[in-house]
Amino acid sequence: MKIPFSPPFINDKVKSEVIDSLDSGWITTGPKVKKLEEQIENYTGSPRVLCVNSWTSGAILMLKWFGIKDGDEVIIPSYTYSATALSIIHAGGKPVMVDVNDDFNISVSNIEKAITKKTKVIMPVDIAGWPCDYESINKLAINKKHLFMAENELQEKLGRVLIISDAAHSLGSEYQGKSTGLLTDITIFSLHAVKNVTTAEGGAICLNLPTPFDNNLLYNELRCYSLNGQTKDAFSKNKPGAWRYDIIYPGLKINMPDVLAAIGIGQMKSYKEDILPKRREIFTAYSSYFKKKSWAILPNYSNGDTISSCHLYAIRINGATEEVRDKIIERISTENVAVNVHFQPLPLLTLFKKMGFKIEDFPNAYNQYKNEISLPIYPQLGQQEIHFICKVVSDSVKEILKK
């Protein structure tokens, strides 16, 4: 039996939407993108959603919009994918890393220690689809308003640090009864090929800024920013007599094309009733099996009013070193089961080492990483495959740990 790690979920609904886009003769930004934005708005309850070509582009856009410049600090967890930090660097800011909790997510107490007068943004990350402690993070932003140094009109209007949720993993998560997308000022989902909902490549920015901001007006402004600062997209310009446009911002070229949005539309049609329940079913099946193993540290699924999107099943091997964990993965791979590790903490990577970050300063991030293994979790897995994965992982741990 050969089990890949994360193949895309492509059913007839997805194929039909893509073919419809191709047959329409319109494949760049147009009605399909608008429909996908509306689907995500309806699903999350977010006031407005703007789709772009990647999570990273969306983060760069929002950081630039808020006026991040050289010397401005953005607080992030040390345990995340590189795009979280790279978006800050590309926007012109300075990433400030802090250590994480045992659930992989950013530590609020460490955020508090890291806030300075240079802090402009806090960017928590929902690792594996498990929401961060947003109640405490939002309260912290308000309690630290006296430290905030506004340097432009937008920052003055908000009057505190901006909270951007890196929700790349958490479309479908809930926190205190609210959907991800409604938990912070800005939420950005990834629609990359391996995510719960995909457009092959893509991202979705949820706008949820408080008054006096107008999220509808902001949507129109950001849509323009995402199209080189152009006042009309190609679909609008293509209408008879509507060729004239203007450039009003030094924008980016990060719009999502319709042919990719079509994939997401097809997936969103199945997400609530099919894709997400199946992921949760697999997640709970794994936990039911591995909770009987003394070596298994299980990932969070639910604690009542908070529930994971089950993007990853990040099991940890109690007592395993990094070297032992790697041997377990090698043993698993001999049975043709593909597993992964999420993630290497940023201070382990060459770029960030050169910037002066040291893994010794983030002991909990390393402790979470050194014995973590991500198991396959996607709707196409059947009971036979799930049982096989469980047995292979268990046998591999037993063989390597000798217990």
Side-chain angles (χ1 to χ4, degrees):
M1 189 178 297
K2 188 173 183 179
I3 300 178
F5 180 68
S6 187
F9 179 72
I10 305 297
N11 62 4
D12 289 340
K13 291 177 182 178
V14 172
K15 293 175 184 177
S16 176
E17 288 290 343
V18 173
I19 291 170
D20 183 64
S21 179
L22 294 172
D23 287 345
S24 75
W26 194 263
I27 58 174
T28 189
T29 306
K32 293 286 187 186
V33 171
K34 184 64 177 173
K35 183 176 180 180
L36 179 59
E37 291 172 347
E38 290 172 351
Q39 283 180 317
I40 297 174
E41 286 171 5
N42 291 334
Y43 182 77
T44 63
S46 179
R48 292 309 301 267
V49 171
L50 176 72
C51 285
V52 290
N53 64 354
S54 71
W55 180 95
T56 308
S57 296
I60 294 170
L61 174 62
M62 296 316 304
L63 292 167
K64 283 182 171 290
W65 166 80
F66 199 57
I68 296 302
K69 56 176 178 49
D70 184 38
D72 288 342
E73 296 177 351
V74 179
I75 298 174
I76 61 172
S78 52
Y79 197 107
T80 184
Y81 181 59
S82 60
T84 309
L86 292 175
S87 65
I88 300 163
I89 295 169
H90 287 308
K94 176 185 177 181
V96 174
M97 298 181 197
V98 302
D99 211 353
V100 297
N101 299 316
D102 289 344
D103 63 357
F104 299 100
N105 285 348
I106 194 166
S107 161
V108 178
S109 61
N110 287 334
I111 294 175
E112 185 170 10
K113 294 173 187 174
I115 292 176
T116 72
K117 290 184 178 180
K118 294 181 179 180
T119 305
K120 292 294 188 291
V121 179
I122 299 170
M123 194 183 296
V125 182
D126 299 336
I127 297 294
W130 180 249
C132 295
D133 182 2
Y134 286 112
E135 180 180 15
S136 297
I137 293 169
N138 289 328
K139 284 181 179 178
L140 181 62
I142 293 171
N143 291 340
K144 294 293 183 178
K145 285 174 67 173
H146 63 282
L147 287 177
F148 185 69
M149 303 289 288
E151 297 182 82
N152 61 42
E153 185 178 342
L154 289 173
Q155 293 175 9
E156 186 72 35
K157 195 174 180 179
L158 186 61
R160 57 166 171 79
V161 295
L162 180 72
I163 310 296
I164 299 178
S165 170
D166 178 345
H169 294 176
S170 58
L171 180 60
S173 299
E174 295 179 13
Y175 173 82
Q176 296 186 350
K178 288 186 177 181
S179 172
T180 309
L182 285 174
L183 305 176
T184 58
D185 303 314
I186 304 293
T187 300
I188 309 176
F189 297 121
S190 173
L191 303 175
H192 175 262
V194 300
K195 298 303 188 290
N196 287 24
V197 171
T198 182
T199 56
E201 295 284 355
I205 305 168
C206 296
L207 306 176
N208 189 42
L209 282 153
T211 53
F213 288 92
D214 184 323
N215 290 295
N216 289 313
L217 291 177
L218 179 56
Y219 169 85
N220 292 329
E221 180 183 347
L222 293 173
R223 190 165 184 265
C224 184
Y225 264 116
S226 73
L227 286 159
N228 286 323
Q230 185 173 288
T231 53
K232 288 182 181 179
D233 61 25
F235 187 75
S236 300
K237 282 168 51 186
N238 195 53
K239 295 176 182 178
W243 61 271
R244 193 179 297 276
Y245 63 90
D246 196 6
I247 300 292
I248 55 177
Y249 309 114
L252 303 168
K253 184 64 169 66
I254 58 172
N255 56 301
M256 176 185 286
D258 263 25
V259 70
L260 296 188
I263 301 173
I265 290 170
Q267 292 210 332
M268 284 300 295
K269 288 180 176 180
S270 301
Y271 190 57
K272 184 176 181 180
E273 305 299 332
D274 187 9
I275 298 175
L276 185 57
K278 182 63 176 176
R279 297 184 81 98
R280 288 175 170 164
E281 180 184 317
I282 296 167
F283 195 107
T284 53
Y286 282 150
S287 291
S288 294
Y289 182 90
F290 289 115
K291 70 180 181 182
K292 303 169 187 174
K293 307 297 180 181
S294 61
W295 50 261
I297 303 173
L298 305 184
N300 287 324
Y301 170 66
S302 175
N303 65 0
D305 58 1
T306 299
I307 187 167
S308 174
S309 68
C310 301
H311 173 59
L312 299 172
Y313 192 87
I315 194 169
R316 294 173 57 217
I317 314 301
N318 191 22
T321 64
E322 185 179 355
E323 293 74 20
V324 167
R325 186 272 315 276
D326 291 351
K327 289 180 181 178
I328 293 170
I329 290 175
E330 289 175 13
R331 169 65 176 79
I332 293 170
S333 69
T334 64
E335 300 283 353
N336 289 316
V337 174
V339 295
N340 211 322
V341 173
H342 292 84
F343 293 98
Q344 296 183 76
L346 300 182
L348 288 176
L349 305 175
T350 298
L351 171 66
F352 303 107
K353 286 181 182 178
K354 289 181 177 178
M355 292 174 65
F357 294 104
K358 299 176 182 178
I359 192 61
E360 292 80 13
D361 295 331
F362 309 95
N364 217 36
Y366 182 76
N367 286 335
Q368 305 307 299
Y369 152 77
K370 70 180 182 182
N371 55 16
E372 189 272 340
I373 302 176
S374 300
L375 306 186
I377 179 169
Y378 47 86
Q380 301 94 308
L381 290 173
Q383 291 300 317
Q384 185 178 2
E385 288 89 351
I386 294 167
H387 177 75
F388 182 68
I389 293 165
C390 290
K391 186 176 186 307
V392 167
V393 171
S394 183
D395 289 349
S396 298
V397 172
K398 184 177 180 181
E399 180 178 318
I400 301 301
L401 290 185
K402 310 296 182 185
K403 65 178 181 180

